């Protein structure tokens, strides 16, 4: 193999590697968002540090939106490289996979937006990204706070159901990931 073909091959893989790296960073962000969101929403208002937890939750939510933008641009690069060489085989399995992944991307976009809606409905200038106040996307409207809370809640748990479907679909990848983090082999059943 010549030096130029080695360079070309590594360049072809770099966009995919970036995509997978973004996938796992977002995975860790979403673990925090789900666990943290579930716990903090149950805390009474007078608990010390509750506002900090909400601000941190919102900051991680904004971070996931930024990572999502980067991820979509990287995904488009991967698709461009892959599908300009050959078109996919349009099978029912391929269509199901694309539908599931498209749904996941839609949830990754609409859940933080619903969080903005919830926060902005409650109070103006209520979303901060690690201390920097972000512009409001929605006007303050105390009549919509419960609606915003419910939308954010139900979208998040529906997203969790789709994530479980994704885990089932990608069981081999999940098994390899689990093996890496536990440093032991999982015996096949």
């Amino acid at each position: 193999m010549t030096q130029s073909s080695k360079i070309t091959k590594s360049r072809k893989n770099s966009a995919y590697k970036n995509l997978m790296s973004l996938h796992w960073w977002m995975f860790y962000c979403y673990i925090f968002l789900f666990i943290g969101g579930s716990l903090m929403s149950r805390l009474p208002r007078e608990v010390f540090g509750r506002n900090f937890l909400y601000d941190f939750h919102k900051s991680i939510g904004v971070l996931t939106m930024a990572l999502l933008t980067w991820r979509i641009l990287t995904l488009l690069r991967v698709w461009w490289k892959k599908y300009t060489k050959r078109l996919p085989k349009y099978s029912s399995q391929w269509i199901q996979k694309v539908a599931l992944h498209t749904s996941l991307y839609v949830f990754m976009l609409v859940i933080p937006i619903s969080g903005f809606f919830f926060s902005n409905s409650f109070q103006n200038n209520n979303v901060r990204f690690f201390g920097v106040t972000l512009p409001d996307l929605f006007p303050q409207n105390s009549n919509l706070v419960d609606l915003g809370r419910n939308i954010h809640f139900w979208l998040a748990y529906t997203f969790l159901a789709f994530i479980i479907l994704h885990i089932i679909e990608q069981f081999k990848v999940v098994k390899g990931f689990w093996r890496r983090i536990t440093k032991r082999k999982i015996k096949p059943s």
Side-chain angles (χ1 to χ4, degrees), residues 27-61:
F27 165 79
Y28 294 121
C29 287
Y30 281 115
I31 284 177
F32 172 79
L33 288 169
F34 280 116
I35 294 171
S38 294
L39 294 175
M40 72 184 194
S41 66
R42 293 183 176 109
L43 292 175
R45 287 200 180 275
E46 60 276 356
V47 169
F48 177 75
R50 182 178 182 268
N51 290 340
F52 171 78
L53 289 174
Y54 269 86
D55 284 343
F56 193 69
H57 178 85
K58 293 172 194 177
S59 293
I60 298 298

Side-chain angles (χ1 to χ4, degrees), residues 73-90:
L73 292 173
T74 305
L75 178 64
L76 292 173
R77 272 183 49 207
V78 169
W79 277 8
W80 178 257
K81 286 181 178 183
K82 183 176 182 178
Y83 293 132
T84 54
K85 293 181 180 170
R86 63 179 166 76
L87 291 175
K89 294 179 183 176
Y90 299 105

Side-chain angles (χ1 to χ4, degrees), residues 81-103:
K81 286 181 178 183
K82 183 176 182 178
Y83 293 132
T84 54
K85 293 181 180 170
R86 63 179 166 76
L87 291 175
K89 294 179 183 176
Y90 299 105
S91 64
S92 62
Q93 183 181 10
W94 184 86
I95 291 168
Q96 287 175 348
K97 190 178 237 182
V98 169
L100 176 60
H101 284 86
T102 301
S103 299

Side-chain angles (χ1 to χ4, degrees), residues 23 26 30 34 64 68 71-72 75 96-112 155-170:
H23 173 278
M26 290 180 77
Y30 281 115
F34 280 116
T64 61
L68 177 63
R71 186 174 174 176
I72 289 170
L75 178 64
Q96 287 175 348
K97 190 178 237 182
V98 169
L100 176 60
H101 284 86
T102 301
S103 299
L104 291 168
Y105 277 87
V106 168
F107 281 116
M108 286 186 272
L109 177 65
V110 298
I111 292 170
L155 283 174
Y157 281 98
T158 306
F159 179 41
L160 185 58
F162 275 76
I163 290 171
I164 292 168
L165 287 174
H166 177 60
I167 289 169
I168 292 167
E169 179 201 40
Q170 298 291 322

